[in-house]
């Protein structure tokens, strides 16, 4: 099934998430062209969003579609920003895009979909959804109860691998996928830009940044503003204090720049001792590699997966996927053992599991 089409499109009402950028604008235009009754939706998540707010109004006017604007700043602060700051304070490196997609973007759009009695939600994500008969795929992927249900949905990577965003979507469920359309899943980014120009869509020219609510991507300034941190010792592999750190939240595993140790090195961040407020470093980059780690807060997109499982794991956005054995550990946690060592496996980040092009699920690295 084409991920951009559902049955009887001319009778379907669809809520399209607009951001002011080229991707969501083209997604809305394609759906309107296919015969959907399109409603635009824009959620204001933080203070510096006046420019996209203005832009989405121009896009909606150009497309001739109604636009719903919702102030979601309080909800965004509670569910995304507070999570982000709490994670750093606990010595973790969070993944706000994963949390935002599930807890904000899709949850709020589903709520609005119900309010306006729409049939589907669409976004400008680069990913694909297919509908699959369970009789074949459940047996192939080692699923239990292969006779039920009669079909299920699969989340797949985008055709344009350089823009693929499936990594951020592993928390979606079967219920979610049944109501989502990704119109850009089979397009190249260059084609999307060409279509926007051809349709004369008034979109923002700049691409979205890594962490949308951190001004100029200046993470140090942002964390320094909102977190209380204290200096502490930098400890090498032998247990010796070799310097002072600025505060544990300002460092992540594998980091080299910003470790202010004179005379020796270079050093890389290898760990953190939160209780003692110590930053653990190594002068041997080989110490940053591991083949075994734990994953918690797991979500399987298709719930019948049987463990242990051979799949590929991806531990950060656009990083290389590595073959791994995934087994069930204690308290529902997963034990991931990779065929090749992975560099800087970082607590708080997401480990996402793939079988070919399909996203099986994922969780948070412990």
């Amino acid at each position: 099934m084409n991920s951009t089409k559902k049955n009887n499109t001319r009778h379907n009402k669809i809520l399209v998430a607009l951001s002011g950028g080229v991707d969501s604008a083209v997604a809305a235009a394609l759906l309107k062209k296919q015969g959907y009754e399109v409603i635009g939706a824009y959620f204001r998540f933080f203070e510096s969003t006046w420019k996209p707010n203005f832009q989405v109004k121009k896009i909606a006017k150009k497309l001739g579609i109604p636009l719903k604007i919702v102030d979601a700043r309080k909800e965004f602060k509670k569910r995304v920003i507070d999570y982000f700051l709490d994670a750093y304070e606990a010595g973790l490196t969070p993944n706000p895009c994963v949390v935002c997609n599930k807890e904000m973007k899709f949850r709020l759009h589903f709520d609005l979909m119900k309010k306006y009695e729409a049939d589907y939600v669409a976004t400008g994500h680069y990913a694909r959804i297919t509908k699959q008969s369970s009789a074949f795929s459940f047996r192939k992927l080692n699923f239990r109860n292969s006779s039920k249900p009669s079909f299920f949905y699969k989340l797949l990577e985008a055709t344009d691998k350089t823009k693929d965003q499936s990594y951020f979507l592993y928390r979606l469920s079967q219920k979610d996928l049944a109501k989502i359309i990704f119109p850009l899943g089979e397009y190249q980014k260059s084609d999307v830009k060409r279509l926007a120009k051809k349709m004369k869509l008034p979109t923002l020219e700049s691409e979205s940044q890594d962490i949308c609510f951190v001004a100029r991507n200046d993470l140090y300034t942002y964390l320094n503003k909102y977190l209380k941190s204290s200096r502490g010792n930098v400890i090498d592999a032998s247990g010796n204090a070799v310097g002072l750190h600025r505060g544990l939240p300002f460092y992540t595993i594998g980091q080299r720049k910003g470790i202010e140790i004179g005379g020796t090195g270079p050093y890389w961040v290898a760990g953190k001792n939160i209780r003692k407020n110590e930053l653990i470093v190594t002068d041997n980059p080989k110490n940053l590699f591991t083949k075994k780690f734990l994953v918690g807060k797991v979500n399987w997109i298709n719930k019948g997966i049987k463990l242990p499982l051979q799949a590929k794991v991806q531990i950060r956005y656009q990083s290389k996927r590595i073959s791994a054995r995934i087994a069930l550990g204690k308290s529902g946690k997963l034990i991931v053992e990779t065929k090749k060592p992975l560099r800087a496996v970082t607590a708080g980040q997401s480990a996402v599991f793939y079988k070919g092009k399909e996203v099986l699920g994922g969780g948070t690295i412990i």
Side-chain angles (χ1 to χ4, degrees):
M1 183 191 74
N2 190 315
S3 61
T4 65
K5 295 181 180 179
K6 302 284 184 179
N7 294 329
N8 302 317
T9 58
R10 294 191 180 278
H11 303 287
N12 284 333
K13 185 187 295 185
I14 189 163
L15 189 79
V16 181
L18 294 177
S19 66
V22 64
D23 296 326
S24 60
V26 171
L30 289 172
L31 291 166
K32 185 178 180 183
K33 187 176 180 181
Q34 288 179 17
Y36 285 95
E37 180 185 346
V38 177
I39 301 172
Y42 174 73
F43 286 88
R44 188 180 180 190
F45 286 152
F46 46 93
E47 291 298 332
S48 58
T49 51
W50 65 269
K51 192 172 183 179
N53 183 30
F54 174 73
Q55 207 69 31
V56 293
K57 292 179 180 179
K58 292 173 66 176
I59 293 168
K61 184 177 180 180
K62 174 69 176 179
L63 294 175
I65 62 173
L67 175 65
K68 311 299 178 183
I69 297 178
V70 179
D71 187 343
R73 286 176 292 178
K74 288 184 180 180
E75 193 78 1
F76 186 81
K77 181 185 181 301
K78 177 183 176 182
R79 292 182 177 270
V80 179
I81 295 178
D82 287 353
Y83 145 79
F84 180 78
L85 294 173
D86 288 347
Y88 269 110
E89 200 162 35
L92 306 173
T93 301
N95 199 327
C97 292
V98 169
V99 174
C100 182
N101 273 297
K102 175 65 176 179
E103 297 297 328
M104 292 299 298
K105 291 179 181 177
F106 286 105
R107 188 179 64 82
L108 294 181
H109 281 94
F110 283 143
D111 289 345
L112 210 60
M113 178 189 76
K114 294 174 184 176
K115 180 177 180 180
Y116 292 104
E117 298 182 332
D119 301 290
Y120 301 103
V121 164
T123 72
H125 283 93
Y126 286 85
R128 294 178 293 156
I129 299 170
T130 61
K131 188 176 179 180
Q132 184 85 40
S133 170
S134 64
F136 168 75
S137 291
F138 271 63
R139 285 199 299 267
K140 183 179 178 182
L141 290 179
N142 213 9
F143 284 87
R144 302 190 191 96
N145 301 321
S146 60
S147 62
K148 293 183 179 181
S150 59
F151 64 86
F152 73 115
Y153 293 91
K154 297 169 72 172
L155 175 64
L156 306 179
E157 66 179 19
T159 299
D160 188 342
K161 291 182 173 57
T162 64
K163 290 295 179 181
D164 174 52
Q165 294 170 302
S166 62
Y167 172 82
F168 296 119
L169 304 174
Y170 75 86
R171 288 191 176 184
L172 295 176
S173 66
Q174 285 291 302
K175 184 179 178 181
D176 296 333
L177 295 181
K179 289 295 182 179
I180 296 172
I181 296 177
F182 294 134
L184 306 186
E186 295 178 4
Y187 283 84
Q188 299 291 320
K189 178 73 174 191
S190 57
D191 293 329
V192 172
K193 288 182 176 180
R194 179 180 54 80
L195 285 170
K197 186 176 181 179
K198 182 180 179 182
M199 293 184 283
K200 297 181 180 180
L201 295 175
T203 63
L204 294 170
E205 294 183 4
S206 59
E207 293 284 328
S208 58
Q209 61 187 50
D210 291 340
I211 305 175
C212 62
F213 54 89
V214 176
R216 298 176 297 279
N217 276 333
D218 187 351
L219 183 58
Y220 176 80
T221 299
Y222 186 87
L223 294 177
N224 197 43
K225 179 180 179 180
Y226 292 104
L227 294 182
K228 293 180 180 180
S229 58
S230 57
R231 296 176 69 86
N233 287 325
V234 177
I235 307 296
D236 66 13
S238 300
N240 301 314
V242 293
L244 292 175
H245 64 75
R246 297 174 294 175
L248 294 181
F250 305 119
Y251 303 88
T252 190
I253 305 302
Q255 179 177 331
R256 178 179 172 181
K257 293 182 179 180
I259 305 174
E260 299 168 356
I261 302 173
T264 59
Y267 288 98
W268 290 263
V269 175
K272 301 177 184 181
N273 187 323
I274 304 299
R275 185 176 63 83
K276 294 183 178 181
N277 191 30
E278 293 177 343
L279 185 71
I280 314 301
V281 299
T282 180
D283 59 0
N284 184 355
K286 291 182 179 179
N287 293 335
L288 299 175
F289 287 82
T290 185
K291 294 177 69 174
K292 188 176 182 178
F293 57 95
L294 296 178
V295 173
K297 298 181 179 179
V298 178
N299 179 66
W300 295 111
I301 292 176
N302 296 299
K303 300 300 182 182
I305 285 182
K306 183 180 178 182
L307 298 174
L309 174 72
Q310 295 291 331
K312 289 194 173 183
V313 62
Q314 182 175 334
I315 62 167
R316 55 181 59 89
Y317 179 51
Q318 292 189 331
S319 68
K320 186 178 180 180
R321 297 168 194 164
I322 301 296
S323 296
R325 182 180 186 271
I326 303 152
L328 186 63
K330 295 180 180 179
S331 302
K333 298 180 179 66
L334 298 180
I335 303 169
V336 180
E337 295 186 69
T338 58
K339 187 175 181 180
K340 297 179 180 179
L342 286 171
R343 184 186 182 278
V345 176
T346 305
Q349 288 286 290
S350 296
V352 181
F353 309 120
Y354 288 80
K355 197 79 169 181
K357 298 178 180 180
E358 181 185 1
V359 180
L360 300 179
T364 303
I365 297 170
I366 299 172

